[in-house]
């Protein structure tokens, strides 16, 4: 075996799901922010975007995080930079076979960085012990 524990896999899964949710919300929020209104259909579109973001996070974000972890470079800023690079990669892939439009890079790099920070937060959080709440109340 690789020595990993079920808690590590749960935190990676939690990070993947949270990063995909953050990506879905950010991708859908771009249009309402520009027009100044939010409609009920935007919530459905966020769920739709989540299903497209989940494979991207699993195929790009998770391996980038595991590489950073193997190198011992998991910090909030290095994770955000890796997420921005992942956002740039997604932008390039989505625009193939045409040349990438540079106009989309800042937004997608920002989305990638925020998603990576959400992943980092969820994956590096330590779960509370069972008696943690009782100990804090005293």
């Amino acid at each position: 075996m690789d020595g990993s524990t079920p808690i590590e896999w749960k935190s990676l899964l939690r990070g993947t799901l949270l990063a995909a949710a953050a990506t879905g919300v950010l991708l859908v929020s771009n249009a309402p922010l520009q027009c100044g209104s939010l409609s009920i259909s935007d919530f459905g579109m966020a769920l739709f975007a989540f299903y497209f973001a989940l494979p991207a996070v699993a195929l790009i974000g998770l391996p980038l995080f595991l590489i950073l972890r193997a190198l011992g470079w998991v910090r909030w800023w290095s994770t955000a930079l890796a997420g921005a690079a992942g956002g740039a990669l997604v932008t390039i892939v989505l625009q193939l076979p045409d040349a990438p439009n540079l106009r989309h890079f800042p937004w997608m790099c920002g989305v990638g960085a925020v998603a990576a920070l959400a992943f980092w937060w969820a994956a590096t959080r330590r779960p509370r012990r069972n008696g943690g709440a009782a100990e804090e109340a005293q």
Side-chain angles (χ1 to χ4, degrees):
M1 289 294 287
D2 61 359
S4 61
T5 64
I7 293 173
E8 289 178 44
W9 288 107
K10 286 180 185 177
S11 66
L12 291 176
L13 177 63
R14 184 175 52 237
T16 302
L17 293 174
L18 184 61
T23 301
V25 168
L26 286 171
L27 289 177
V28 172
S29 68
N30 191 23
L33 286 175
Q34 289 178 354
C35 70
S37 65
L38 184 68
S39 69
I40 194 71
S41 65
D42 293 329
F43 294 104
M45 288 302 296
L47 185 61
F48 185 69
F50 169 81
Y51 289 114
F52 283 99
L54 189 58
V57 170
L59 294 173
I60 297 170
L62 183 59
L64 282 174
F65 181 81
L66 293 174
I67 290 169
L68 287 176
R69 189 171 77 172
L71 295 172
W73 295 350
V74 176
R75 307 286 185 275
W76 69 268
W77 56 270
S78 60
T79 306
L81 287 174
L89 179 63
V90 168
T91 303
I92 292 168
V93 169
L94 288 177
Q95 295 181 14
L96 287 176
D98 298 329
N101 186 344
L102 297 179
R103 213 169 39 104
H104 299 284
F105 276 95
W107 175 252
M108 290 299 289
C109 288
V111 169
V114 170
L117 286 172
F119 187 103
W120 169 82
W121 179 79
T124 59
R125 269 186 51 218
R126 298 287 178 234
R128 286 187 176 182
R129 295 181 186 190
N130 291 337
E135 292 172 5
E136 290 180 37
Q138 292 179 355

